[in-house]
Amino acid sequence: MALRPNLHPGEFLLSLPDEAGRVALAGIFGNDHPVELEIGSGKGTFVLAIAEATPQRNFIGIEYARAYAEFAADRLRRHEQTNARLVHAEASWWVRCHVADAALAAVHVYFPDPWPKARHHKRRLVQPPFLKEVHRILQPGGVLRLVTDHADYFVQMERVLAEQQELQVVPFESPVALKADAPEGSIVGTNFERKYIAEGRSFHATMARKPG
Ligand SMILES: C[S@@+](CC[C@H](N)C(=O)[O-])C[C@H]1O[C@@H](n2cnc3c(N)ncnc32)[C@H](O)[C@@H]1O
């Protein structure tokens, strides 16, 4: 069900045919500006904010819940945010199919689904194959940012980062100047962050860089 009536995401909802293969992504925007990717954009609050704040960069958000993807893309259209697009897809599949090697300056993953039950941990996004793929799609010097409220998932994130040698863990830096109305304690400014701050939860954040 649509989150809002009369959504018209138009070209802000990006759809690539399978035969397009892996593409450099900046071409979608008609320029050669750096491209950043957010996985699990929800209602698009972060991708909209960072695209507004950073017009000299391009942003793509991927979201597999259709209602959220359409809502977020419509939001980008209403704001005429021409340096951002939303993709309705499962992120691992879309990245494998469509993102060329070294196409991205950053990958953002904020409050990914924690799958708390042990038998569901294999569904978590941040696993060794995901980090391999992030290393493939990042440019040298590009960064991966991870934020979660879930302590156990964060232990897994730190473990899989420590077990690989391609990405270097570096001190976390917020990706964008936060809006003036962001609540105290915000580090990335997403919807879930706002909700969790109101609930008094604390966050865990880490960042890793592709050497180069
Ligand atoms: C807990 S919400 C967080 C949303 C947003 N990042 C925030 O902080 O407000 C996780 C979102 O990621 C989406 N998602 C989870 N796994 C995904 C995947 N593999 N590909 C694309 N979207 C995914 C979910 O549909 C959901 O909207």
Side-chain angles (χ1 to χ4, degrees), residues 38-42 62-65 68 89-92 110-113 125 190-193:
E38 186 197 16
I39 294 180
S41 299
I62 308 184
E63 171 52 57
Y64 74 4
Y68 286 146
E90 195 287 311
S92 301
Y110 302 137
F111 303 95
D113 293 337
L125 180 72
T190 71
N191 268 352
F192 270 70
E193 183 182 69

Short mmCIF file of all heavy atoms in Angstrom, two decimals, residues 38-42 62-65 68 89-92 110-113 125 190-193, ligand 1:
data_model
loop_
_atom_site.label_atom_id
_atom_site.label_comp_id
_atom_site.label_asym_id
_atom_site.label_seq_id
_atom_site.Cartn_x
_atom_site.Cartn_y
_atom_site.Cartn_z
N GLU A 38 23.34 4.45 -0.64
CA GLU A 38 22.78 4.08 0.66
C GLU A 38 21.97 2.79 0.50
O GLU A 38 21.10 2.72 -0.38
CB GLU A 38 21.86 5.17 1.23
CG GLU A 38 21.43 4.82 2.65
CD GLU A 38 20.22 5.59 3.18
OE1 GLU A 38 19.49 6.21 2.39
OE2 GLU A 38 19.99 5.52 4.40
N ILE A 39 22.22 1.83 1.36
CA ILE A 39 21.49 0.56 1.30
C ILE A 39 20.44 0.55 2.41
O ILE A 39 20.76 0.76 3.57
CB ILE A 39 22.46 -0.62 1.46
CG1 ILE A 39 23.39 -0.67 0.24
CG2 ILE A 39 21.70 -1.94 1.62
CD1 ILE A 39 24.42 -1.78 0.27
N GLY A 40 19.17 0.33 2.02
CA GLY A 40 18.07 0.32 2.99
C GLY A 40 17.66 1.74 3.35
O GLY A 40 17.74 2.16 4.50
N SER A 41 17.18 2.48 2.35
CA SER A 41 16.91 3.92 2.52
C SER A 41 15.62 4.22 3.27
O SER A 41 15.39 5.38 3.63
CB SER A 41 16.84 4.60 1.15
OG SER A 41 18.06 4.46 0.49
N GLY A 42 14.75 3.21 3.46
CA GLY A 42 13.48 3.49 4.14
C GLY A 42 12.72 4.59 3.41
O GLY A 42 12.54 4.55 2.19
N ILE A 62 18.96 2.44 -2.19
CA ILE A 62 18.32 1.18 -2.59
C ILE A 62 17.40 0.74 -1.45
O ILE A 62 17.81 0.73 -0.29
CB ILE A 62 19.34 0.05 -2.83
CG1 ILE A 62 20.43 0.51 -3.79
CG2 ILE A 62 18.64 -1.17 -3.40
CD1 ILE A 62 21.40 -0.60 -4.15
N GLU A 63 16.19 0.37 -1.81
CA GLU A 63 15.20 -0.02 -0.79
C GLU A 63 14.33 -1.12 -1.38
O GLU A 63 13.82 -0.98 -2.48
CB GLU A 63 14.36 1.22 -0.42
CG GLU A 63 13.18 0.95 0.45
CD GLU A 63 13.49 0.15 1.71
OE1 GLU A 63 14.33 0.57 2.51
OE2 GLU A 63 12.86 -0.92 1.89
N TYR A 64 14.19 -2.25 -0.65
CA TYR A 64 13.42 -3.33 -1.24
C TYR A 64 11.95 -3.37 -0.88
O TYR A 64 11.20 -4.15 -1.43
CB TYR A 64 14.10 -4.68 -1.14
CG TYR A 64 14.16 -5.41 0.16
CD1 TYR A 64 13.55 -4.97 1.32
CD2 TYR A 64 14.87 -6.62 0.23
CE1 TYR A 64 13.65 -5.68 2.49
CE2 TYR A 64 14.98 -7.32 1.40
CZ TYR A 64 14.37 -6.85 2.53
OH TYR A 64 14.48 -7.56 3.70
N ALA A 65 11.49 -2.52 0.02
CA ALA A 65 10.05 -2.39 0.26
C ALA A 65 9.51 -1.38 -0.77
O ALA A 65 9.89 -0.20 -0.75
CB ALA A 65 9.79 -1.91 1.68
N TYR A 68 8.08 2.03 0.37
CA TYR A 68 9.09 2.99 0.83
C TYR A 68 9.90 3.54 -0.35
O TYR A 68 10.21 4.73 -0.41
CB TYR A 68 10.04 2.34 1.84
CG TYR A 68 9.42 2.14 3.21
CD1 TYR A 68 9.76 1.04 3.99
CD2 TYR A 68 8.52 3.06 3.74
CE1 TYR A 68 9.21 0.85 5.25
CE2 TYR A 68 7.97 2.87 5.00
CZ TYR A 68 8.31 1.77 5.75
OH TYR A 68 7.78 1.58 6.99
N ALA A 89 14.87 -2.46 -5.15
CA ALA A 89 15.52 -3.75 -5.42
C ALA A 89 16.12 -4.29 -4.14
O ALA A 89 16.30 -3.55 -3.16
CB ALA A 89 16.64 -3.58 -6.46
N GLU A 90 16.48 -5.57 -4.18
CA GLU A 90 17.28 -6.15 -3.10
C GLU A 90 18.72 -5.72 -3.36
O GLU A 90 19.26 -5.90 -4.45
CB GLU A 90 17.12 -7.68 -3.13
CG GLU A 90 17.61 -8.38 -1.87
CD GLU A 90 19.12 -8.41 -1.74
OE1 GLU A 90 19.80 -8.79 -2.70
OE2 GLU A 90 19.63 -8.03 -0.67
N ALA A 91 19.34 -5.14 -2.35
CA ALA A 91 20.60 -4.43 -2.56
C ALA A 91 21.74 -5.34 -3.04
O ALA A 91 22.48 -4.96 -3.96
CB ALA A 91 21.01 -3.72 -1.27
N SER A 92 21.90 -6.52 -2.42
CA SER A 92 23.05 -7.36 -2.80
C SER A 92 22.94 -7.75 -4.28
O SER A 92 23.93 -7.72 -5.03
CB SER A 92 23.12 -8.63 -1.95
OG SER A 92 23.22 -8.27 -0.61
N TYR A 110 22.68 2.26 7.33
CA TYR A 110 22.24 2.77 8.63
C TYR A 110 21.03 2.02 9.14
O TYR A 110 20.00 1.94 8.48
CB TYR A 110 21.95 4.28 8.51
CG TYR A 110 23.17 5.03 8.02
CD1 TYR A 110 23.08 6.02 7.06
CD2 TYR A 110 24.44 4.70 8.53
CE1 TYR A 110 24.22 6.69 6.61
CE2 TYR A 110 25.58 5.36 8.09
CZ TYR A 110 25.46 6.34 7.14
OH TYR A 110 26.60 6.98 6.69
N PHE A 111 21.21 1.42 10.32
CA PHE A 111 20.15 0.66 10.99
C PHE A 111 19.63 -0.46 10.09
O PHE A 111 18.42 -0.57 9.86
CB PHE A 111 19.04 1.60 11.49
CG PHE A 111 19.60 2.66 12.40
CD1 PHE A 111 19.95 3.90 11.91
CD2 PHE A 111 19.86 2.36 13.73
CE1 PHE A 111 20.53 4.86 12.74
CE2 PHE A 111 20.45 3.31 14.57
CZ PHE A 111 20.77 4.58 14.07
N PRO A 112 20.55 -1.30 9.58
CA PRO A 112 20.10 -2.45 8.78
C PRO A 112 19.28 -3.40 9.66
O PRO A 112 19.50 -3.46 10.88
CB PRO A 112 21.42 -3.09 8.33
CG PRO A 112 22.41 -2.68 9.37
CD PRO A 112 22.00 -1.30 9.82
N ASP A 113 18.36 -4.14 9.03
CA ASP A 113 17.52 -5.07 9.80
C ASP A 113 18.43 -6.00 10.61
O ASP A 113 19.31 -6.66 10.05
CB ASP A 113 16.63 -5.88 8.86
CG ASP A 113 15.60 -5.00 8.16
OD1 ASP A 113 15.29 -3.92 8.69
OD2 ASP A 113 15.10 -5.40 7.09
N LEU A 125 22.76 -8.45 6.47
CA LEU A 125 23.47 -7.94 5.29
C LEU A 125 24.99 -7.98 5.47
O LEU A 125 25.73 -8.34 4.55
CB LEU A 125 23.01 -6.49 5.04
CG LEU A 125 23.64 -5.77 3.86
CD1 LEU A 125 23.09 -6.33 2.54
CD2 LEU A 125 23.38 -4.27 3.94
N THR A 190 18.91 9.70 10.16
CA THR A 190 17.87 8.89 9.48
C THR A 190 16.60 8.86 10.34
O THR A 190 16.61 9.25 11.52
CB THR A 190 18.35 7.44 9.25
OG1 THR A 190 18.39 6.77 10.52
CG2 THR A 190 19.71 7.38 8.59
N ASN A 191 15.52 8.34 9.75
CA ASN A 191 14.26 8.20 10.50
C ASN A 191 14.41 7.28 11.70
O ASN A 191 13.91 7.58 12.78
CB ASN A 191 13.18 7.59 9.60
CG ASN A 191 12.39 8.63 8.89
OD1 ASN A 191 12.52 9.82 9.16
ND2 ASN A 191 11.56 8.19 7.98
N PHE A 192 15.08 6.13 11.49
CA PHE A 192 15.21 5.19 12.60
C PHE A 192 16.07 5.78 13.71
O PHE A 192 15.80 5.56 14.88
CB PHE A 192 15.77 3.84 12.10
CG PHE A 192 14.67 2.90 11.71
CD1 PHE A 192 13.90 3.14 10.58
CD2 PHE A 192 14.35 1.79 12.48
CE1 PHE A 192 12.86 2.29 10.22
CE2 PHE A 192 13.32 0.93 12.13
CZ PHE A 192 12.57 1.18 11.00
N GLU A 193 17.07 6.54 13.33
CA GLU A 193 17.90 7.17 14.35
C GLU A 193 17.05 8.10 15.23
O GLU A 193 17.12 8.07 16.45
CB GLU A 193 19.05 7.96 13.71
CG GLU A 193 19.97 8.56 14.74
CD GLU A 193 21.08 9.37 14.10
OE1 GLU A 193 20.78 10.44 13.52
OE2 GLU A 193 22.23 8.93 14.17
C1 LIG B 1 15.41 -0.72 9.94
S1 LIG B 1 15.07 0.07 8.41
C2 LIG B 1 16.17 1.47 8.42
C3 LIG B 1 15.79 2.50 7.38
C4 LIG B 1 16.74 3.73 7.31
N1 LIG B 1 18.08 3.33 6.98
C5 LIG B 1 16.73 4.48 8.62
O1 LIG B 1 17.74 4.44 9.34
O2 LIG B 1 15.71 5.12 8.91
C6 LIG B 1 15.89 -1.00 7.26
C7 LIG B 1 15.43 -0.75 5.84
O3 LIG B 1 16.26 -1.48 4.96
C8 LIG B 1 15.47 -2.13 3.98
N2 LIG B 1 16.25 -3.31 3.58
C9 LIG B 1 16.61 -4.33 4.38
N3 LIG B 1 17.36 -5.21 3.70
C10 LIG B 1 17.47 -4.74 2.44
C11 LIG B 1 18.11 -5.22 1.26
N4 LIG B 1 18.80 -6.36 1.27
N5 LIG B 1 18.02 -4.47 0.14
C12 LIG B 1 17.33 -3.29 0.13
N6 LIG B 1 16.69 -2.80 1.22
C13 LIG B 1 16.77 -3.51 2.36
C14 LIG B 1 14.17 -2.44 4.70
O4 LIG B 1 13.08 -2.61 3.80
C15 LIG B 1 14.01 -1.20 5.57
O5 LIG B 1 13.31 -0.16 4.92
#
